[in-house]
Amino acid sequence: MGNDSDLLEARLAGRLAELRLERGWSLEELAQRADVSRSTLSRLERGEISPTAALLGKLCAAYGRPMSRLLAEVEPEPPQLVRAGRQPVWRDRETGFTRRSVSPPHPGLRGEVVEAVLEPGADITYEEPPVAGLEHHLWVLDGAVELTVGGAVHAVRPGDCLRYRLWGPSRFVNPGPGPVRYVLLIVLP
């Protein structure tokens, strides 16, 4: 999947640069809005570095769009039936996070399904939601995840489903010993 992954990252870098230019923001202004260094943003837009989940989360918050919507914008128009082998997969090797867009978002639809895997010890914090009030349903298939949302820590185990609206920061931690695999249903407000 190296070539598809490289192509996705190149399109993602280009889309991030477009979003900034569409708003008329300088790199410095985006750096302040997203709390990310100007040099990191510059290297990211030129495709010299791969974004982490936390970095993408900050940029999505600055642009006011869910990560899934951003990733969908760099994919071709999704068909109604998405075969397993055609579902876009994005990996953040630094944090041990893998994200599969099971039902890629579509501009006319409000819900989407994401499959995620967090490796043992993974700890990802999102400082704010990309869109305030996003509805989430997190259903754990294997392993366990500790999700902090609204200041409360929820231990979600196999078969459990946590339903919440996201208004503030969130944190996903895999306490181990093995990976956690979960499904996330996201509904736009």
Side-chain angles (χ1 to χ4, degrees):
M1 188 174 315
N3 289 345
D4 285 349
S5 181
D6 292 345
L7 185 57
L8 177 66
E9 290 209 0
R11 288 199 300 241
L12 181 57
R15 182 62 184 139
L16 289 169
E18 284 173 8
L19 285 168
R20 183 177 58 77
L21 295 173
E22 284 170 9
R23 283 159 178 75
W25 295 346
S26 65
L27 278 171
E28 187 60 39
E29 185 171 353
L30 178 58
Q32 290 173 358
R33 287 175 180 267
D35 191 30
V36 175
S37 78
R38 184 188 180 288
S39 61
T40 296
L41 292 173
S42 177
R43 294 182 66 212
L44 182 63
E45 287 184 4
R46 290 195 312 266
E48 294 173 6
I49 58 170
S50 297
T52 63
L55 176 55
L56 270 187
K58 287 180 175 189
L59 292 172
C60 286
Y63 292 129
R65 65 194 342 108
M67 187 183 304
S68 50
R69 185 104 8 212
L70 173 66
L71 293 175
E73 290 170 354
V74 298
E75 286 292 318
E77 177 74 17
Q80 285 186 304
L81 174 63
V82 185
R83 301 282 181 202
R86 301 294 305 155
Q87 295 166 358
V89 175
W90 180 75
R91 289 181 177 83
D92 177 355
R93 287 172 181 81
E94 184 178 313
T95 58
F97 175 60
T98 302
R99 180 186 201 288
R100 174 185 300 276
S101 294
V102 177
S103 65
H106 184 278
L109 303 175
R110 298 168 53 87
E112 61 195 86
V113 179
V114 171
E115 177 191 33
V117 176
L118 281 177
E119 296 301 324
D123 185 342
I124 302 173
T125 298
Y126 299 98
E127 294 178 20
E128 60 183 297
V131 176
L134 277 178
E135 178 183 346
H136 290 79
H137 300 258
L138 185 144
W139 178 35
V140 173
L141 302 176
D142 300 299
V145 65
E146 291 175 359
L147 175 58
T148 304
V149 63
V153 179
H154 304 274
V156 191
R157 301 190 187 340
D160 293 351
C161 183
L162 176 65
R163 180 177 58 201
Y164 58 97
R165 279 198 185 271
L166 193 55
W167 298 99
S170 59
R171 180 179 178 200
F172 293 75
V173 176
N174 177 355
V180 60
R181 186 169 66 101
Y182 59 89
V183 172
L184 193 60
L185 171 64
I186 303 168
V187 183
L188 289 169

